[in-house]
Amino acid sequence: MIDLKGRVALITGGSRGIGRATAILFAKANADVAITYRSNDSAANLVVEEIKNMGRKAIALKGDVSKSSDVKMIVKEVLNYFGKIDILVNNAGIWTYGAIGEMPEEIWDETMNVNLKGVYLITNEVVPIMKKQRWGRIINISSTAGQRGEAFHSHYAASKGAIIAFTKSLAVELAKFNILVNCVAPGWVNTDMCAEVFKDPAFVEQVKSTIPLGRIPEPEEIAGPILFLASDLANWITGATISVNGGSVLCG
């Protein structure tokens, strides 16, 4: 039912986890896809290969979304290859430990630079393209941490809460250009980001006990709502945050 044929999607952090699952799902819906990644050439190339095997166009661009020069390069290369950008998924992010009172300034800055500044930089580059097209879809990936806070990860929660506010602000600002801006807020997901803490079986059971649906989801289960927001089925939704967390955080 969802068909993105003729659309070009740019997905940051697309070599693994939620970004990878989203790139693959978009391609299955007939979109052409560009992904960004920071370091893992092999993983990024595998995503591109899988998408091309579906008969869609795909490229992977290595760069740091927190650096303006890298972002400008990325957007330029996507335009050179595809000629346009219809959909932007701001997915790239990091999650680290940081107890307040002990957190080094460098940890705070790194998180804000990647999780928040990176969203600003690439959105700032892509919006003029979408304005000229008078069509665009921007989906920002936040977190339950941005909705309720997260002890010992206040820097991460602050960056993700800011993304929700950024989403609401841009939704109003860009509505007249037919650019819809929405947010997806996952909870715990079985990704590389969580792999280290999930090595502890007791912790995994503790996490499951906080989720009414009783399990930890796979990245593909987050990609589905992202695809929905990029599709024509969501043409009357903007400024929304969709909670995709198995009922663990109920935010209206």
Side-chain angles (χ1 to χ4, degrees), residues 172-196:
V172 177
E173 183 176 333
L174 300 177
K176 65 182 178 181
F177 300 100
N178 196 28
I179 301 170
L180 307 184
V181 189
N182 290 293
C183 190
V184 168
W188 291 102
V189 184
N190 187 22
T191 66
D192 291 350
M193 185 181 285
C194 303
E196 189 62 33

Side-chain angles (χ1 to χ4, degrees), residues 61-214:
L61 298 162
K62 190 174 186 176
D64 184 344
V65 295
S66 70
K67 294 181 179 178
S68 180
S69 58
D70 284 15
V71 167
K72 289 180 184 296
M73 175 275 293
I74 287 165
V75 173
K76 182 179 178 181
E77 289 299 317
V78 175
L79 284 179
N80 286 342
Y81 192 81
F82 294 108
K84 63 175 183 171
I85 300 172
D86 299 302
I87 302 160
L88 172 64
V89 180
N90 281 309
N91 168 72
I94 58 173
W95 179 71
T96 56
Y97 179 88
I100 203 67
E102 303 171 7
M103 188 193 310
E105 184 177 349
E106 293 77 15
I107 296 296
W108 175 276
D109 287 345
E110 179 189 31
T111 299
M112 289 299 168
N113 284 339
V114 174
N115 291 5
L116 184 56
K117 184 181 177 182
V119 172
Y120 148 71
L121 284 175
I122 202 154
T123 303
N124 203 46
E125 286 294 314
V126 168
V127 161
I129 298 162
M130 292 181 170
K131 281 183 175 180
K132 289 180 182 178
Q133 298 169 176
R134 298 197 70 82
W135 199 98
R137 300 292 181 266
I138 301 172
I139 300 106
N140 299 319
I141 310 305
S142 181
S143 167
T144 54
Q147 297 171 306
R148 68 178 176 184
E150 187 175 5
F152 305 104
H153 303 275
S154 60
H155 53 324
Y156 177 78
S159 70
K160 292 299 185 176
I163 285 174
I164 294 173
F166 188 63
T167 297
K168 292 179 180 179
S169 301
L170 293 191
V172 177
E173 183 176 333
L174 300 177
K176 65 182 178 181
F177 300 100
N178 196 28
I179 301 170
L180 307 184
V181 189
N182 290 293
C183 190
V184 168
W188 291 102
V189 184
N190 187 22
T191 66
D192 291 350
M193 185 181 285
C194 303
E196 189 62 33
V197 294
F198 284 172
K199 288 179 179 178
D200 180 355
F203 182 77
V204 171
E205 291 306 311
Q206 179 185 338
V207 168
K208 287 181 181 179
S209 72
T210 67
I211 302 173
L213 289 183

